Structure formats: C-alpha cells, structure tokens
Amino acid sequence: MSTESGAHTDRPAKEPYRVGFLLIENFTLIALATAVEPLRMANQLAGTELYSWKLLTAGGEPARASDGITMLPDASIQEEHRFDLVIVVAGIDVTRSFSRKEINWLKQMARRHVLLGAVCTGPYVLASAGLLDGHSCSAHWECLEAMQEGFPRVQTNNRLFTIERERMTCTGGTVPMHMMLSFLARRHGPELSNAVSHMFVCDRVREESEQQPMPMHPRLACAQPKLAEAAQLMEANIEEPIELKELATLAGISRRQLERLFLKHLGCTPSRYYLRVRLNRARRLLKQTSCSIVEIASMCGFVSATHFSRCYRKTMGRAPKYERMQVYSGETPGSGLTDTMASLPSSSLQALRRARTEPTYGIFEDTGSG
C-alpha cells in the first residue's frame, strides 16, 4: 500500500497528513474514537502536527451515533477538500444508512487516488460504491454475509483488518486502533507506533492476519480447542452441512466425544448447535439482504423453504417473513418498549429502537435478579 502517491505528492513536506472521517448515520462511536485517537497521540508524542483530521457528513448536518449521541461535523462533503486518507465510519443498519451523495463523493476521492479506509460496517459502503471490487476486505462479522451475497467481486475475509493497494478496512470495536497503529508503523516505523500503544495501555498490538472472534464460540479455543475446531467447521460449512460423524473425524475425535463436549460445555447436542449456527446466519441474511426466503433456505443448508420456516419459527419464535417485516416496519408488536422503558433517557431509548433491525437484537434474555 502506498500512502505517498497520487494526491499526496503535492503536499509540502512539513504539512500534516490530512485525514477525513466520513460519518454515516448510526455510526459506532467506539470505532470512530479508536481510529482518531492514535493520530492525536502520534502528534502529541512527536511534538508536531503529523496528522490533521476532519469529521464529515453528507450535508454538514450533525451525525447521530448508534448510542444516540450526536456529533457536530467540521464540514460537509459538498465543500472542497484535499485529503490524503478518507475513512468511512458506519454502524448499525448500514444497508439503509447511506445515500447516493456519499457514494458519488467516495468515487470522486478514489479518482483522485486518495487512500480509502472503512471501519466496523463501513466497508459495506465502500463496496456499494464499487471501490472494493478485486480487493481483500475485512469487516465486522455481522455484515459479512450481506457483503458476500451482495458484492461477489469483493474478496471478504475474517481477518481483523486488511491494508492493501490504497484500501484499508477493518472490523469494529477497538480493532480500528490496531489498524491505525499498523498504519503508523508503516509510515513512521515501529517506535512511534509502540509508543502510542503504550500511552493507551495497550499491552499487545494485534496483527493484521489475526482472525476476528466469531460470536458462537468465544473463549473456547483456549479451554476446549477440539470444541472450538468443531464449531469453526460448522460455521465454515453452512450451505452444505457436514454429517456429525465426518465433523468429529475432521476435529480428530470420536462422535461420542464430540457429543459429550457439546453437552458439557454448551448444554446442547452438536446437531442443535449446528442448527442454531445456520439459523443465525439466516437471520442476518433476512435482515441485511433482499434474498428471497427460498434462496436463504438453500444458502443455509435446508432442503426446502417449508422445512426452513418450520425450524426458524420453532427456534427463533417467529416466522422468517415476520423477521423481514420488522426491518421495514421498525415495529415490534407486543414488545412493550414504550411502556416499560419510558423512564430511560431519550437517547438510549432511541438507540434501542434503531437497533431493532440488527440481527443480534434480542438474542440474549435478561435473567437479572432485579
């Protein structure tokens, strides 16, 4: 990846490297913060302005984060800017949160050979603009299926972040910080990058090649590596599910051992767990793509749409068509949100309402003692 080519060559040597952060409505605040802060700290430690940055929105209007906090941008994309790097920051409901204005502007930046980046679900926006075709791409696991189905020319992967050929993309949470630390190391050497990580009490800089942890088997790799391996095999073979006997053989254990591990550590049979993995993927496809229920049934390894709908209703408590209806209606009949959460601050209630269309909405039950 070159960071000093194209639009960058006409900048005086002592002028700071110019970064624009394009805020997409419902962006994730932690992703923005962990991307910006390494630049601030690099300036502080260097004692000079190595980097400058601006927050941007399509029309210069305030941008609302997924947690309800509103950010006032520095400028709009309609103004003239000279950036070396533009990073798209997105969050929940990404497939419906950006506009044609933002797409066209990103294409314009690409024509100027500006380095383009994206964090969390931001890669979906770059892919929608056709700016990731032929590129390797990292993105938050929650939007990977939507990208794989919607943009087959994008080489999606499950790595924490990817930096290559004037593109840099990463997953969410605190991972943008690690991507930016890698970026700093490439431009200034490891000494500055390490010093920045020490200031943030970051005990380990994560590598680009590391895999993002998938939600179905957290912490299993260290404690129960065979169980984690079996879970990973399930997640990698959804369209054509593997027979349990073959799964056990691939994991290097007997079928009986496999069943004991699942019952002991996850409280369910391997078959039940595998079904849940497939249905969770179906849920993401229902909420994030326009694929038909028949297509989703096939993509998730079900012999028919009828069988899929029956399994989905029994496990998820609602029919697939109702799951999709929620995305567009934004309503959850009988949820009681308005009455039971009336005492919450308005920003938190609004954030929860916006999150209803997310695949992970409501997957954990509150079992608190009150």
Side-chain angles (χ1 to χ4, degrees):
M1 179 196 74
S2 172
T3 60
E4 299 296 338
S5 62
H8 316 138
T9 56
D10 57 0
R11 185 182 66 254
K14 293 185 179 181
E15 189 173 315
Y17 191 91
R18 302 157 298 199
V19 184
F21 291 92
L22 177 59
L23 306 183
I24 304 299
E25 189 72 2
N26 295 321
F27 71 94
T28 305
L29 195 58
I30 190 173
L32 172 65
T34 53
V36 173
E37 284 296 303
L39 303 180
R40 176 189 69 83
M41 188 54 65
N43 288 352
Q44 177 178 318
L45 295 178
T48 187
E49 191 182 20
L50 297 176
Y51 295 91
S52 66
W53 56 86
K54 287 183 178 180
L55 303 184
L56 307 167
T57 59
E61 68 286 347
R64 184 175 55 185
S66 58
D67 56 12
I69 294 176
T70 300
M71 300 287 289
L72 188 65
D74 300 300
S76 78
I77 60 176
Q78 299 172 23
E79 302 171 39
E80 182 60 31
H81 301 287
R82 297 181 66 80
F83 290 119
D84 301 294
L85 166 63
V86 167
I87 296 179
V88 181
V89 187
I92 67 172
D93 201 21
V94 65
T95 60
R96 287 170 289 276
S97 295
F98 58 93
S99 68
R100 176 55 55 183
K101 284 183 181 179
E102 291 150 328
I103 292 295
N104 291 338
W105 185 75
L106 288 168
K107 289 180 177 180
Q108 181 184 359
M109 293 299 102
R111 288 193 293 270
R112 295 181 183 179
H113 299 287
V114 172
L115 177 62
L116 294 177
V119 298
C120 196
T121 60
Y124 189 95
V125 182
L126 286 183
S128 298
L131 299 175
L132 289 179
D133 288 355
H135 289 269
S136 291
C137 164
S138 300
H140 192 283
W141 58 263
E142 196 172 43
C143 74
L144 277 178
E145 280 92 356
M147 292 192 64
Q148 290 164 352
E149 297 302 327
F151 312 108
R153 297 181 64 187
V154 178
Q155 300 165 14
T156 56
N157 60 58
N158 198 41
R159 296 199 299 269
L160 289 179
F161 60 92
T162 302
I163 301 178
E164 66 154 36
R165 294 188 295 123
E166 295 192 320
R167 298 291 183 270
M168 49 194 292
T169 54
C170 79
T171 59
T174 60
V175 174
M177 178 176 72
H178 296 275
M179 181 178 74
M180 298 308 287
L181 288 172
S182 178
F183 176 73
L184 291 175
R186 292 170 188 238
R187 299 197 73 240
H188 307 284
E191 292 80 10
L192 179 60
S193 177
N194 290 335
V196 171
S197 71
H198 291 156
M199 288 296 291
F200 292 145
V201 199
C202 176
D203 59 351
R204 181 176 72 89
V205 179
R206 303 173 75 177
E207 298 294 329
E208 178 179 353
S209 59
E210 290 183 46
Q211 301 288 296
Q212 64 175 314
M214 298 301 285
M216 296 299 290
H217 50 89
R219 302 185 186 90
L220 289 180
C222 294
Q224 295 294 331
K226 292 298 182 183
L227 184 59
E229 185 176 352
Q232 289 171 339
L233 284 167
M234 290 177 180
E235 288 166 354
N237 294 273
I238 291 178
E239 189 166 352
E240 296 183 9
I242 306 175
E243 293 290 335
L244 291 185
K245 183 177 180 180
E246 182 183 357
L247 187 69
T249 300
L250 290 171
I253 55 178
S254 69
R255 177 168 175 168
R256 182 171 293 181
Q257 286 176 306
L258 182 70
E259 290 173 342
R260 280 202 297 262
L261 283 173
F262 272 89
L263 286 170
K264 180 179 179 179
H265 297 283
L266 294 175
C268 66
T269 64
S271 298
R272 184 67 180 172
Y273 183 90
Y274 206 168
L275 176 63
R276 188 77 192 206
V277 169
R278 292 157 59 203
L279 291 175
N280 278 337
R281 184 180 190 225
R283 192 182 198 205
R284 291 193 289 273
L285 291 170
L286 285 166
K287 285 179 172 285
Q288 296 178 339
T289 74
S290 59
C291 296
S292 69
I293 290 176
V294 173
E295 291 172 321
I296 291 173
S298 176
M299 285 187 272
C300 296
F302 292 90
V303 295
S304 69
T306 302
H307 181 222
F308 165 62
S309 296
R310 184 166 59 249
C311 291
Y312 196 96
R313 187 185 298 107
K314 183 177 180 180
T315 304
M316 301 300 197
R318 63 183 67 86
K321 64 179 181 181
Y322 173 69
E323 195 80 83
R324 173 155 284 168
M325 283 168 58
Q326 276 189 260
V327 174
Y328 296 100
S329 68
E331 297 297 330
T332 310
S335 67
L337 275 175
T338 302
D339 296 332
T340 62
M341 304 184 70
S343 60
L344 281 177
S346 60
S347 60
S348 59
L349 181 55
Q350 291 171 10
L352 183 56
R353 285 173 174 163
R354 286 195 299 277
R356 287 179 181 176
T357 60
E358 293 301 288
T360 48
Y361 180 84
I363 64 172
F364 295 105
E365 295 183 1
D366 184 0
T367 57
S369 57

